[in-house]
């Protein structure tokens, strides 16, 4: 289906901080336009004074795009790119937030590209994969919190 399977793992290779990490299993298919989405009330609403989200991402080297799904002032289902999954292992990422930002989910998609004639196409990336996310913290610009969250 079009949904990202979100679960929790405590496997030490996939936990960057604390005891658990989020595990995202995705499948990209033509009928969902190479997109996989996880929506959830479990995603917190951040107050406006935070300007960035810092997180650790365990990439799968697929070249697919990981993004936050969010609601702005007047529109919902907006995408904010987190990172291109062109690496394997852990990487710390900082994402600058727009002024109006309510986190509503996560998205993995095959990124757009162009063919040899310059026509827009979808990148020929792996259509299934697993990535991990850990230690998501809201921050002011330039601050990083590496203290393990007791819940994670």
């Amino acid at each position: 289906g079009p949904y990202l399977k979100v679960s929790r793992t405590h496997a030490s290779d996939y936990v960057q901080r604390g005891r658990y990490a989020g595990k995202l299993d995705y499948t990209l298919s033509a009928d969902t336009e190479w997109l996989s989405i996880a929506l959830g009330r479990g995603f917190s609403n951040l107050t406006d004074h935070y300007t960035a989200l810092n997180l650790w991402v365990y990439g799968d080297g697929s070249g697919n795009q990981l993004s936050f799904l969010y609601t702005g002032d007047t529109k919902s289902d907006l995408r904010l790119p987190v990172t291109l999954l062109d690496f394997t292992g852990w990487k710390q990422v900082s994402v600058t937030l727009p002024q109006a930002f309510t986190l509503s989910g996560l998205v993995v998609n095959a990124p757009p590209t162009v063919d040899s004639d310059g026509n827009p196409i979808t990148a020929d990336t792996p259509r299934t994969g697993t990535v991990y996310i850990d230690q998501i913290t809201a921050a002011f610009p330039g601050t990083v919190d590496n203290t393990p969250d007791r819940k994670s």
Side-chain angles (χ1 to χ4, degrees):
Y3 297 104
L4 207 51
K5 182 182 173 213
V6 178
S7 59
R8 208 164 76 150
T9 182
H10 60 271
S12 60
D13 286 354
Y14 303 113
V15 176
Q16 176 63 26
R17 298 275 187 275
R19 291 180 306 207
Y20 296 100
K23 179 181 180 184
L24 310 175
D25 293 303
Y26 64 88
T27 300
L28 309 178
S29 61
D31 61 339
T32 61
E33 298 179 3
W34 313 112
L35 181 76
S36 194
I37 298 177
L39 298 171
R41 283 171 287 163
F43 296 108
S44 63
N45 294 347
L46 299 170
T47 53
D48 289 341
H49 62 275
Y50 289 112
T51 56
L53 280 180
N54 298 316
L55 64 155
W56 286 90
V57 177
Y58 191 101
D60 62 0
S62 65
N64 289 314
Q65 176 71 48
L66 174 66
S67 302
F68 289 130
L69 195 64
Y70 74 99
T71 301
D73 279 343
T74 57
K75 289 185 168 181
S76 60
D77 298 332
L78 298 168
R79 279 192 248 170
L80 180 64
V82 173
T83 188
L84 197 62
L85 298 168
D86 58 356
F87 59 95
T88 53
W90 287 109
K91 175 179 166 184
Q92 192 167 33
V93 180
S94 185
V95 181
T96 301
L97 302 179
Q99 272 196 307
F101 180 86
T102 301
L103 183 62
S104 57
L106 294 163
V107 179
V108 175
N109 67 284
T113 188
V114 292
D115 66 15
S116 58
D117 296 326
N119 299 312
I121 59 168
T122 301
D124 186 20
T125 54
R127 301 307 186 204
T128 61
T130 301
V131 294
Y132 300 86
I133 293 179
D134 203 0
Q135 192 69 13
I136 299 178
T137 55
F140 299 102
T143 60
V144 175
D145 179 3
N146 284 322
T147 308
D149 180 14
R150 279 175 290 180
K151 291 177 291 201
S152 68

